[in-house]
Amino acid sequence: MLLMFGGHRLDLGARQLFRGNTEIHLSPKGLDLLHMLVENRPRAVSKRELQDRLWPGTFVAEASLGSLVAELRRALGDRADTPAFVRTVHRFGYAFCGVVDGDAPSASPGSSAWIVWQGREIPMHGGENIIGRDPGVTVRLDTPSISRRHARIVVSPEGATIEDLGSKNGTFLKEERVVGRVPLADLDELRIGSVRLLLRIMSGGELTQTVER
């Protein structure tokens, strides 16, 4: 069974993790942890449940699980403060927060959103959409002013939000720097590093107005 997410491929049968065509090394328990979190998505899995599954019948210190999570994040290029795949649920456990190919979108069927850039329309799916230079991100902008994982747009039935992922050159909405998670609207103008984008959001099958770019 193959699971695809954020430019990664997890082969459960072969017990291998790839980024593109490159195999990413993970310890056996690191692979088990990733498998557990992905198969339980989006449910948060408690530390106790993880410890019981990963070290059955054995007492281990909580730090062992923390070290394993850190290993997994390093392998995925993830960060605890701006997670793309492994989210910490404080005082409880961990959850897989990435979008696996084939998952039902979390946006309603009548809603969609996309980015307009240089005459191209780049569709976004329900849930998390990463903007950056990394292969496999939703909106890939391969220019020097863009960080590898620059910003994140989350699309849901309630609307869309954007947040910066600790980029070097910043994320801007209507020329104001984005700090924290900021709501978005149709026709919002974004600047990601030096790249200017236009956001389009369609709700209920209608656009608020027509625009040419």
Side-chain angles (χ1 to χ4, degrees), residues 105-131:
S106 52
S108 62
S111 299
S112 61
W114 62 96
I115 290 290
V116 180
W117 177 49
Q118 294 183 341
R120 295 168 51 206
E121 294 183 350
I122 306 172
M124 293 184 291
H125 49 249
E128 177 183 81
N129 298 267
I130 300 297
I131 302 173

mmCIF file of all heavy atoms in Angstrom, residues 105-131:
data_model
loop_
_atom_site.group_PDB
_atom_site.id
_atom_site.type_symbol
_atom_site.label_atom_id
_atom_site.label_comp_id
_atom_site.label_asym_id
_atom_site.label_seq_id
_atom_site.Cartn_x
_atom_site.Cartn_y
_atom_site.Cartn_z
ATOM 1 N N PRO A 105 -11.553 15.997 0.428
ATOM 2 C CA PRO A 105 -11.231 17.363 0.817
ATOM 3 C C PRO A 105 -12.111 17.830 1.946
ATOM 4 O O PRO A 105 -13.267 17.436 2.050
ATOM 5 C CB PRO A 105 -11.484 18.187 -0.458
ATOM 6 C CG PRO A 105 -12.464 17.371 -1.227
ATOM 7 C CD PRO A 105 -12.149 15.935 -0.914
ATOM 8 N N SER A 106 -11.547 18.659 2.815
ATOM 9 C CA SER A 106 -12.320 19.153 3.941
ATOM 10 C C SER A 106 -13.190 20.352 3.571
ATOM 11 O O SER A 106 -14.021 20.780 4.352
ATOM 12 C CB SER A 106 -11.376 19.543 5.093
ATOM 13 O OG SER A 106 -10.372 20.406 4.653
ATOM 14 N N ALA A 107 -12.963 20.911 2.372
ATOM 15 C CA ALA A 107 -13.850 21.982 1.929
ATOM 16 C C ALA A 107 -15.138 21.376 1.399
ATOM 17 O O ALA A 107 -15.176 20.240 0.954
ATOM 18 C CB ALA A 107 -13.179 22.819 0.827
ATOM 19 N N SER A 108 -16.221 22.143 1.424
ATOM 20 C CA SER A 108 -17.492 21.637 0.923
ATOM 21 C C SER A 108 -17.429 21.498 -0.586
ATOM 22 O O SER A 108 -16.662 22.181 -1.263
ATOM 23 C CB SER A 108 -18.620 22.598 1.314
ATOM 24 O OG SER A 108 -18.396 23.863 0.724
ATOM 25 N N PRO A 109 -18.245 20.573 -1.191
ATOM 26 C CA PRO A 109 -18.170 20.327 -2.624
ATOM 27 C C PRO A 109 -18.402 21.574 -3.463
ATOM 28 O O PRO A 109 -17.902 21.669 -4.566
ATOM 29 C CB PRO A 109 -19.272 19.287 -2.860
ATOM 30 C CG PRO A 109 -19.464 18.627 -1.535
ATOM 31 C CD PRO A 109 -19.198 19.696 -0.521
ATOM 32 N N GLY A 110 -19.155 22.551 -2.955
ATOM 33 C CA GLY A 110 -19.449 23.738 -3.735
ATOM 34 C C GLY A 110 -18.429 24.846 -3.593
ATOM 35 O O GLY A 110 -18.636 25.934 -4.089
ATOM 36 N N SER A 111 -17.328 24.584 -2.891
ATOM 37 C CA SER A 111 -16.335 25.624 -2.672
ATOM 38 C C SER A 111 -15.020 25.221 -3.309
ATOM 39 O O SER A 111 -14.649 24.060 -3.352
ATOM 40 C CB SER A 111 -16.127 25.851 -1.167
ATOM 41 O OG SER A 111 -17.313 26.264 -0.555
ATOM 42 N N SER A 112 -14.285 26.195 -3.824
ATOM 43 C CA SER A 112 -12.955 25.937 -4.351
ATOM 44 C C SER A 112 -12.151 27.226 -4.265
ATOM 45 O O SER A 112 -12.687 28.318 -4.119
ATOM 46 C CB SER A 112 -13.020 25.423 -5.793
ATOM 47 O OG SER A 112 -13.622 26.394 -6.633
ATOM 48 N N ALA A 113 -10.824 27.061 -4.350
ATOM 49 C CA ALA A 113 -9.936 28.224 -4.279
ATOM 50 C C ALA A 113 -8.722 27.953 -5.150
ATOM 51 O O ALA A 113 -8.319 26.792 -5.334
ATOM 52 C CB ALA A 113 -9.527 28.487 -2.835
ATOM 53 N N TRP A 114 -8.153 29.006 -5.695
ATOM 54 C CA TRP A 114 -6.945 28.842 -6.476
ATOM 55 C C TRP A 114 -6.146 30.134 -6.461
ATOM 56 O O TRP A 114 -6.631 31.204 -6.098
ATOM 57 C CB TRP A 114 -7.260 28.390 -7.898
ATOM 58 C CG TRP A 114 -8.077 29.317 -8.738
ATOM 59 C CD1 TRP A 114 -7.628 30.237 -9.631
ATOM 60 C CD2 TRP A 114 -9.513 29.402 -8.784
ATOM 61 N NE1 TRP A 114 -8.677 30.885 -10.220
ATOM 62 C CE2 TRP A 114 -9.849 30.392 -9.731
ATOM 63 C CE3 TRP A 114 -10.534 28.723 -8.117
ATOM 64 C CZ2 TRP A 114 -11.163 30.735 -10.011
ATOM 65 C CZ3 TRP A 114 -11.842 29.058 -8.403
ATOM 66 C CH2 TRP A 114 -12.148 30.047 -9.342
ATOM 67 N N ILE A 115 -4.882 29.988 -6.848
ATOM 68 C CA ILE A 115 -3.948 31.106 -6.937
ATOM 69 C C ILE A 115 -3.756 31.463 -8.407
ATOM 70 O O ILE A 115 -3.601 30.578 -9.250
ATOM 71 C CB ILE A 115 -2.588 30.727 -6.307
ATOM 72 C CG1 ILE A 115 -2.702 30.591 -4.788
ATOM 73 C CG2 ILE A 115 -1.503 31.721 -6.686
ATOM 74 C CD1 ILE A 115 -2.915 31.906 -4.067
ATOM 75 N N VAL A 116 -3.777 32.752 -8.710
ATOM 76 C CA VAL A 116 -3.478 33.223 -10.063
ATOM 77 C C VAL A 116 -2.079 33.838 -10.051
ATOM 78 O O VAL A 116 -1.803 34.756 -9.276
ATOM 79 C CB VAL A 116 -4.514 34.269 -10.536
ATOM 80 C CG1 VAL A 116 -4.181 34.734 -11.952
ATOM 81 C CG2 VAL A 116 -5.925 33.685 -10.483
ATOM 82 N N TRP A 117 -1.199 33.299 -10.911
ATOM 83 C CA TRP A 117 0.187 33.777 -10.980
ATOM 84 C C TRP A 117 0.666 33.694 -12.423
ATOM 85 O O TRP A 117 0.630 32.635 -13.028
ATOM 86 C CB TRP A 117 1.092 32.934 -10.079
ATOM 87 C CG TRP A 117 2.552 33.303 -10.149
ATOM 88 C CD1 TRP A 117 3.073 34.561 -10.044
ATOM 89 C CD2 TRP A 117 3.653 32.421 -10.336
ATOM 90 N NE1 TRP A 117 4.442 34.527 -10.143
ATOM 91 C CE2 TRP A 117 4.828 33.208 -10.319
ATOM 92 C CE3 TRP A 117 3.762 31.047 -10.507
ATOM 93 C CZ2 TRP A 117 6.096 32.666 -10.481
ATOM 94 C CZ3 TRP A 117 5.031 30.493 -10.666
ATOM 95 C CH2 TRP A 117 6.184 31.300 -10.648
ATOM 96 N N GLN A 118 1.073 34.825 -12.983
ATOM 97 C CA GLN A 118 1.589 34.913 -14.346
ATOM 98 C C GLN A 118 0.637 34.269 -15.355
ATOM 99 O O GLN A 118 1.054 33.546 -16.259
ATOM 100 C CB GLN A 118 2.972 34.250 -14.433
ATOM 101 C CG GLN A 118 4.027 34.980 -13.621
ATOM 102 C CD GLN A 118 5.409 34.378 -13.762
ATOM 103 O OE1 GLN A 118 5.556 33.213 -14.180
ATOM 104 N NE2 GLN A 118 6.433 35.124 -13.410
ATOM 105 N N GLY A 119 -0.665 34.524 -15.158
ATOM 106 C CA GLY A 119 -1.659 34.002 -16.074
ATOM 107 C C GLY A 119 -2.045 32.559 -15.830
ATOM 108 O O GLY A 119 -2.933 32.031 -16.503
ATOM 109 N N ARG A 120 -1.384 31.896 -14.891
ATOM 110 C CA ARG A 120 -1.703 30.504 -14.561
ATOM 111 C C ARG A 120 -2.674 30.467 -13.392
ATOM 112 O O ARG A 120 -2.620 31.298 -12.498
ATOM 113 C CB ARG A 120 -0.446 29.727 -14.166
ATOM 114 C CG ARG A 120 0.573 29.567 -15.258
ATOM 115 C CD ARG A 120 1.876 29.040 -14.685
ATOM 116 N NE ARG A 120 1.663 27.860 -13.855
ATOM 117 C CZ ARG A 120 2.484 27.493 -12.864
ATOM 118 N NH1 ARG A 120 3.531 28.239 -12.562
ATOM 119 N NH2 ARG A 120 2.234 26.392 -12.178
ATOM 120 N N GLU A 121 -3.547 29.471 -13.396
ATOM 121 C CA GLU A 121 -4.448 29.224 -12.274
ATOM 122 C C GLU A 121 -3.999 27.945 -11.587
ATOM 123 O O GLU A 121 -4.026 26.863 -12.184
ATOM 124 C CB GLU A 121 -5.894 29.113 -12.752
ATOM 125 C CG GLU A 121 -6.436 30.416 -13.326
ATOM 126 C CD GLU A 121 -7.896 30.309 -13.724
ATOM 127 O OE1 GLU A 121 -8.427 29.173 -13.729
ATOM 128 O OE2 GLU A 121 -8.500 31.349 -14.036
ATOM 129 N N ILE A 122 -3.572 28.065 -10.334
ATOM 130 C CA ILE A 122 -3.052 26.922 -9.579
ATOM 131 C C ILE A 122 -4.102 26.543 -8.542
ATOM 132 O O ILE A 122 -4.337 27.285 -7.579
ATOM 133 C CB ILE A 122 -1.722 27.270 -8.888
ATOM 134 C CG1 ILE A 122 -0.717 27.805 -9.918
ATOM 135 C CG2 ILE A 122 -1.159 26.059 -8.157
ATOM 136 C CD1 ILE A 122 0.552 28.365 -9.308
ATOM 137 N N PRO A 123 -4.773 25.396 -8.704
ATOM 138 C CA PRO A 123 -5.845 25.032 -7.780
ATOM 139 C C PRO A 123 -5.315 24.631 -6.418
ATOM 140 O O PRO A 123 -4.205 24.094 -6.294
ATOM 141 C CB PRO A 123 -6.517 23.844 -8.483
ATOM 142 C CG PRO A 123 -5.450 23.257 -9.337
ATOM 143 C CD PRO A 123 -4.588 24.402 -9.778
ATOM 144 N N MET A 124 -6.102 24.899 -5.376
ATOM 145 C CA MET A 124 -5.797 24.454 -4.021
ATOM 146 C C MET A 124 -6.890 23.511 -3.566
ATOM 147 O O MET A 124 -8.043 23.630 -3.962
ATOM 148 C CB MET A 124 -5.670 25.651 -3.071
ATOM 149 C CG MET A 124 -4.461 26.526 -3.373
ATOM 150 S SD MET A 124 -4.252 27.859 -2.169
ATOM 151 C CE MET A 124 -5.673 28.871 -2.582
ATOM 152 N N HIS A 125 -6.516 22.561 -2.702
ATOM 153 C CA HIS A 125 -7.488 21.591 -2.223
ATOM 154 C C HIS A 125 -7.967 21.962 -0.825
ATOM 155 O O HIS A 125 -7.390 22.836 -0.169
ATOM 156 C CB HIS A 125 -6.885 20.181 -2.217
ATOM 157 C CG HIS A 125 -5.543 20.116 -1.568
ATOM 158 N ND1 HIS A 125 -4.383 19.871 -2.278
ATOM 159 C CD2 HIS A 125 -5.155 20.288 -0.284
ATOM 160 C CE1 HIS A 125 -3.363 19.876 -1.460
ATOM 161 N NE2 HIS A 125 -3.794 20.127 -0.236
ATOM 162 N N GLY A 126 -9.011 21.295 -0.384
ATOM 163 C CA GLY A 126 -9.473 21.492 0.977
ATOM 164 C C GLY A 126 -8.420 21.026 1.957
ATOM 165 O O GLY A 126 -7.788 19.988 1.780
ATOM 166 N N GLY A 127 -8.199 21.807 3.008
ATOM 167 C CA GLY A 127 -7.156 21.491 3.979
ATOM 168 C C GLY A 127 -5.932 22.361 3.755
ATOM 169 O O GLY A 127 -6.025 23.519 3.339
ATOM 170 N N GLU A 128 -4.765 21.777 4.012
ATOM 171 C CA GLU A 128 -3.516 22.529 3.999
ATOM 172 C C GLU A 128 -2.908 22.604 2.604
ATOM 173 O O GLU A 128 -2.831 21.606 1.894
ATOM 174 C CB GLU A 128 -2.527 21.850 4.951
ATOM 175 C CG GLU A 128 -1.162 22.487 4.992
ATOM 176 C CD GLU A 128 -0.232 21.712 5.893
ATOM 177 O OE1 GLU A 128 0.317 20.687 5.454
ATOM 178 O OE2 GLU A 128 -0.067 22.115 7.047
ATOM 179 N N ASN A 129 -2.456 23.818 2.214
ATOM 180 C CA ASN A 129 -1.782 24.049 0.940
ATOM 181 C C ASN A 129 -0.498 24.831 1.218
ATOM 182 O O ASN A 129 -0.559 25.966 1.705
ATOM 183 C CB ASN A 129 -2.669 24.846 -0.014
ATOM 184 C CG ASN A 129 -3.955 24.128 -0.355
ATOM 185 O OD1 ASN A 129 -4.041 23.417 -1.333
ATOM 186 N ND2 ASN A 129 -4.987 24.318 0.476
ATOM 187 N N ILE A 130 0.644 24.225 0.933
ATOM 188 C CA ILE A 130 1.930 24.864 1.199
ATOM 189 C C ILE A 130 2.399 25.612 -0.046
ATOM 190 O O ILE A 130 2.323 25.096 -1.173
ATOM 191 C CB ILE A 130 2.991 23.830 1.612
ATOM 192 C CG1 ILE A 130 2.548 23.083 2.879
ATOM 193 C CG2 ILE A 130 4.340 24.514 1.853
ATOM 194 C CD1 ILE A 130 2.392 23.953 4.097
ATOM 195 N N ILE A 131 2.917 26.827 0.157
ATOM 196 C CA ILE A 131 3.524 27.630 -0.898
ATOM 197 C C ILE A 131 5.027 27.667 -0.638
ATOM 198 O O ILE A 131 5.457 27.960 0.481
ATOM 199 C CB ILE A 131 2.963 29.060 -0.920
ATOM 200 C CG1 ILE A 131 1.439 29.042 -1.101
ATOM 201 C CG2 ILE A 131 3.623 29.887 -2.017
ATOM 202 C CD1 ILE A 131 0.804 30.407 -0.969
#
